[in-house]
Amino acid sequence: MRIFVSTCLLGENCKYNGGNNYSEKTVAFIKGHEVVALCPEVAGGLPVPRASAEIVDGIVKTKSGQSVDEEFRTGAEKVLAEVLKQKVELAVLQSRSPSCGVKEIYDGSFSGKKIKGQGIFAKMLMDEGIKVIDVEDIEKCTMNAIPLTI
């Protein structure tokens, strides 16, 4: 099985704050599989580090109100094209990210409040019928029984 993984989960310092979200559980889960790993935000031309961003009324913006929506969507489209080209069957994504959030995202108030919803890239994957897993739910999955969305 070919699996997409958000590169921050593999230890690449591509998060907005210059860090990563390394996940031992993810590394164990993907062992023995072909992996495609990219960061949609970096693919869209955003620097590391960068201002944090949230989805505000459907537009990705920084706390100062600057729109970074074009960069987020461009990066998501580029990475989606690679995912489709590589025939990825499953994606493991970072929780609550405005790109990769699977079940919930921050509400756009920059207060830490979460709401149900998906990040830009996660939604594109789901619209293409690609199974997505929130990294926080990876322990609930086995390769034989992966729900469409967790």
Side-chain angles (χ1 to χ4, degrees):
M1 176 182 284
R2 191 164 288 147
I3 302 173
F4 174 87
V5 180
S6 301
T7 51
C8 63
L9 298 173
L10 300 179
E12 184 172 320
N13 293 330
C14 58
K15 276 180 62 170
Y16 75 93
N17 63 5
N20 65 68
N21 296 310
Y22 179 75
S23 166
E24 287 184 35
K25 291 178 184 177
T26 299
V27 171
F29 183 78
I30 63 174
K31 189 173 183 176
H33 298 279
E34 294 180 53
V35 175
V36 176
L38 295 164
C39 173
E41 295 172 25
V42 172
L46 293 169
V48 178
R50 58 188 167 275
S52 65
E54 295 184 9
I55 300 173
V56 181
D57 297 324
I59 305 294
V60 187
K61 295 182 180 181
T62 65
K63 189 173 185 176
S64 69
Q66 177 188 357
S67 174
V68 287
D69 196 71
E70 182 177 337
E71 292 89 341
F72 270 73
R73 291 181 191 280
T74 297
E77 288 168 3
K78 285 180 180 178
V79 175
L80 178 64
E82 186 63 24
V83 162
L84 295 173
K85 177 182 167 190
Q86 296 284 334
K87 296 182 173 38
V88 165
E89 299 172 60
L90 175 70
V92 181
L93 304 175
Q94 174 56 36
S95 309
R96 298 174 295 282
S97 158
S99 288
C100 296
V102 173
K103 300 182 300 183
E104 61 184 8
I105 54 174
Y106 292 104
D107 73 349
S109 67
F110 294 87
S111 65
K113 184 179 177 193
K114 296 170 263 190
I115 58 172
K116 287 184 179 186
Q118 292 80 40
I120 304 297
F121 179 60
K123 176 112 175 55
M124 286 181 179
L125 289 171
M126 294 164 84
D127 288 349
E128 288 291 335
I130 296 170
K131 293 179 182 182
V132 295
I133 299 173
D134 184 305
V135 67
E136 291 180 353
D137 294 325
I138 206 163
E139 67 279 353
K140 297 177 187 174
C141 299
T142 65
M143 284 298 169
N144 297 326
I146 300 170
L148 181 58
T149 303
I150 294 184

